[in-house]
Amino acid sequence: MRSLPLPLALTARLSPVAVLACAGWALTSGPAAPAAAGGHQAAQNTPTRSSSSDSSEPSSAASAKTYSTAPAPCTSMPTATITALVPAAKTAGKEIPSTDTKLRRTCSWNALKGYDYRWLDVSFEVSASNQEAEQEYQQRVTAKSGGGAVPGLGDSAYSVVNLTTEDKQQTREGVVMVRVSNALVIVTYNGSDFETKKAPGTDEINQGAIKAARAAVGALGGGQSG
């Protein structure tokens, strides 16, 4: 069977270390920051809302509250959501070490099913005030131009999708950022097909990231201080 080497950028994101007998690949652990917008950009200007049954809608009451701690990220996603977005992944996920778990926590799910690879990161960040969270949110939105607002999600939400190519292998990544009071939810979702070297469609990645973001916003209830 022919060997299909992974691009360096993807190799750095694959975790944990495992040998895939079906393809003869070695996956190297270690999450990376969201892909830089150095490749072809393919973002939806007006992302549509997810209609999945397991998504969670934020309430106006929730957005009026403040948060003192970040919720457990690996239990923030319904099992059905993980199974749909990251087929063959362990639903328990893997929490990424943080210097302060009270203020920032991240969980990752990734899997290679056949030749299809998917990666999902969900992060919660708690700021000292709503104003500080809003400033951080605006800075991140400005740094990731080309996307659009997501209506009806948190106090404000934004999504962007980018396409990158390395060693002829395409990867499409969607990022959704949501502010709810003094908390930020950051979702990163990407995918590749190592047989065709093509990436999943923009709508698939965008809607998947929004679906995960809705569930994550619903999980913020675990971090409320009042």
Side-chain angles (χ1 to χ4, degrees), residues 12-59:
R13 294 183 66 91
L14 293 174
S15 171
V17 176
V19 176
L20 302 179
C22 63
W25 294 321
L27 303 186
T28 305
S29 63
H40 304 290
Q41 193 174 66
Q44 287 186 322
N45 290 327
T46 55
T48 56
R49 299 179 59 181
S50 170
S51 59
S52 59
S53 60
D54 60 349
S55 62
S56 301
E57 294 286 348
S59 64

Side-chain angles (χ1 to χ4, degrees), residues 4-174:
L4 298 177
L6 303 182
L8 293 177
L10 288 175
T11 301
R13 294 183 66 91
L14 293 174
S15 171
V17 176
V19 176
L20 302 179
C22 63
W25 294 321
L27 303 186
T28 305
S29 63
H40 304 290
Q41 193 174 66
Q44 287 186 322
N45 290 327
T46 55
T48 56
R49 299 179 59 181
S50 170
S51 59
S52 59
S53 60
D54 60 349
S55 62
S56 301
E57 294 286 348
S59 64
S60 57
S63 62
K65 296 183 178 181
T66 56
Y67 301 88
S68 59
T69 59
C74 291
T75 58
S76 65
M77 292 292 103
T79 299
T81 300
I82 299 169
T83 301
L85 298 182
V86 193
K90 294 181 179 179
T91 56
K94 180 180 180 181
E95 185 160 359
I96 306 305
S98 172
T99 55
D100 190 342
T101 55
K102 184 177 180 180
L103 300 181
R104 189 180 194 281
R105 298 180 72 175
T106 301
C107 190
S108 291
W109 295 263
N110 67 88
L112 184 65
K113 184 177 182 181
Y115 294 96
D116 289 325
Y117 165 71
R118 296 292 185 275
W119 177 289
L120 173 67
D121 278 353
V122 176
S123 296
F124 296 97
E125 299 182 14
V126 176
S127 298
S129 66
N130 288 18
Q131 182 179 8
E132 185 177 307
E134 174 64 20
Q135 291 175 345
E136 179 67 22
Y137 171 82
Q138 292 298 338
Q139 288 175 359
R140 296 191 183 204
V141 168
T142 300
K144 287 189 171 292
S145 61
V150 183
L153 182 57
D155 293 317
S156 50
Y158 175 88
S159 75
V160 62
V161 179
N162 287 305
L163 177 69
T164 59
T165 302
E166 184 173 339
D167 296 333
K168 299 182 180 180
Q169 173 66 62
Q170 293 183 346
T171 299
R172 183 166 274 118
E173 179 171 275

